[in-house]
């Protein structure tokens, strides 16, 4: 619900006070019994609630998507399966699914995207997490530059993209194995770097723990680290940084 737009409609006389009152009854959340949907979140934080699809019962998932779409005119879910896509599509025919990022979303046509977030990966095996980050940032209104397979084993690859990377308001670096990409990039740019460790690697990488520890112990300044494989968290944080960089405050979003 866009409260500012609703108030403007009341002021213009196109929406009655009784209708506005009925709409406001859904604030701050809608209780579905098994879920309490945070319809107030966009008003508080600038971004609407998204859905973590993994593990949700089928009937609950479809109804949650339908309710959020009804209220916001858009909705995004992460860690979705192809089967969940088919289920939700029965309620929202226009929804789309990307099997690489496992993102399930529907957005309004002509959505404006501003600023720039660069998403870099160490290798192609990191792309699923990178796409979760990139598509999350796009959903929240960012322009995204994808710079994939530029790991430190061939350092010339990332160096050849430096001019492109330094133009970004925020850089997301995604890598498994030893996870050194974030430190290298943070040493090349002046804007914030978000490091995402992935569970890509052989046994001693401990399903991403090695990369996580490398990123947490980075000697570079201006680098923050999210959890293993948490592309969504990185994309959300990058969108917040980008929103500040393009000069929009909390009320107007990106």
């Amino acid at each position: 619900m866009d409260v500012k737009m609703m108030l403007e409609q009341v002021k213009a006389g196109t929406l009655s006070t009784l209708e506005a009152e009925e709409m406001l009854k859904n604030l701050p959340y809608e209780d579905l019994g098994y879920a309490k949907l945070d319809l107030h979140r966009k008003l508080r934080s600038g971004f609407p609630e998204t859905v973590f699809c993994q593990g949700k019962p089928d009937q609950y998932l479809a109804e949650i998507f339908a309710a959020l779409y009804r209220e916001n005119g858009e909705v995004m879910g992460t860690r979705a399966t192809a089967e969940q896509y088919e289920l939700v599509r029965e309620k929202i025919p226009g929804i789309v699914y990307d099997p690489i990022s496992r993102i399930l979303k529907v957005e309004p046509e002509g959505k404006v995207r501003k600023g720039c977030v660069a998403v870099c990966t160490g290798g192609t095996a990191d792309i699923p997490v990178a796409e979760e980050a990139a598509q999350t940032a796009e959903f929240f209104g960012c322009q995204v530059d994808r710079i994939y397979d530029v790991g430190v084993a061939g350092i010339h690859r990332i160096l050849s993209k430096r001019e492109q990377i330094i133009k970004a308001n925020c850089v997301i670096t995604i890598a498994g194995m030893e996870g050194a990409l974030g430190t290298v990039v943070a040493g090349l740019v002046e804007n914030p770097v978000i490091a995402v460790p992935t569970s890509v690697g052989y046994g001693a990488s401990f399903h991403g723990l090695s990369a996580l520890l490398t990123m947490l112990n980075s000697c570079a300044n201006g680098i923050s680290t999210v959890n293993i494989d948490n592309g969504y968290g990185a994309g959300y944080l990058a969108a917040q940084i980008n929103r500040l960089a393009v000069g929009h405050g909390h009320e107007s979003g990106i």
Side-chain angles (χ1 to χ4, degrees):
M1 180 192 302
D2 190 325
V3 175
K4 184 177 180 181
M5 181 181 296
M6 182 194 67
L7 293 174
E8 291 290 345
Q9 290 174 340
V10 172
K11 182 179 179 181
T14 58
L15 186 70
S16 72
T17 54
L18 289 176
E19 289 172 324
E21 181 184 17
E22 191 64 30
M23 293 170 68
L24 286 170
K25 286 179 180 178
N26 284 334
L27 295 178
Y29 65 86
E30 179 176 344
D31 193 345
L32 300 180
Y34 50 83
K36 294 174 177 59
L37 304 184
D38 188 0
L39 307 181
H40 207 182
R41 188 170 301 182
K42 185 174 182 180
L43 185 63
R44 296 194 318 270
S45 67
F47 301 134
E49 182 177 13
T50 54
V51 183
F52 183 73
C53 300
Q54 185 177 322
K56 282 188 171 55
D58 291 348
Q59 182 179 355
Y60 295 169
L61 180 70
E63 292 180 1
I64 288 169
F65 262 88
L68 289 174
Y69 179 60
R70 182 185 68 244
E71 289 295 323
N72 299 319
E74 61 180 357
V75 61
M76 185 184 84
T78 62
R79 304 299 170 93
T81 65
E83 291 76 17
Q84 289 175 322
Y85 162 59
E86 295 296 341
L87 183 76
V88 174
R89 190 168 63 163
E90 293 179 8
K91 289 187 175 290
I92 309 175
I95 203 157
V96 296
Y97 176 65
D98 174 35
I100 295 176
S101 64
R102 294 190 288 165
I103 282 181
L104 187 59
K105 65 181 177 181
V106 59
E107 301 177 90
E109 291 185 11
K111 191 172 186 177
V112 176
R113 294 186 172 92
K114 297 181 180 180
C116 181
V117 171
V119 179
C120 307
T121 72
T124 54
D126 302 308
I127 289 177
V129 177
E131 278 300 310
E132 183 179 82
Q135 293 186 41
T136 296
E138 288 174 335
F139 184 81
F140 292 131
C142 305
Q143 290 278 9
V144 173
D145 280 350
R146 291 163 169 81
I147 305 168
Y148 292 166
D149 196 26
V150 288
V152 299
I155 197 70
H156 56 288
R157 297 177 299 179
I158 191 69
L159 295 176
S160 71
K161 299 293 183 180
R162 183 175 181 273
E163 289 189 12
Q164 181 180 358
I165 295 170
I166 62 175
K167 294 177 183 178
N169 295 321
C170 179
V171 184
I172 301 173
T173 60
I174 301 171
M177 300 289 190
E178 86 290 359
L181 182 62
T183 296
V184 171
V185 170
L188 297 173
V189 303
E190 64 178 0
N191 288 331
V193 173
I194 302 168
V196 187
T198 70
S199 51
V200 172
Y202 294 104
S205 66
F206 298 107
H207 304 288
L209 181 60
S210 174
L212 173 64
L213 293 175
T214 296
M215 292 170 174
L216 287 172
N217 288 284
S218 174
C219 62
N221 298 316
I223 181 172
S224 59
T225 304
V226 299
N227 209 343
I228 298 168
D229 292 335
N230 189 11
Y232 171 79
Y236 189 101
L237 178 57
Q240 290 180 306
I241 294 169
N242 185 66
R243 178 174 60 184
L244 294 174
V246 297
H248 289 262
H250 171 77
E251 293 183 359
S252 57
I254 292 180

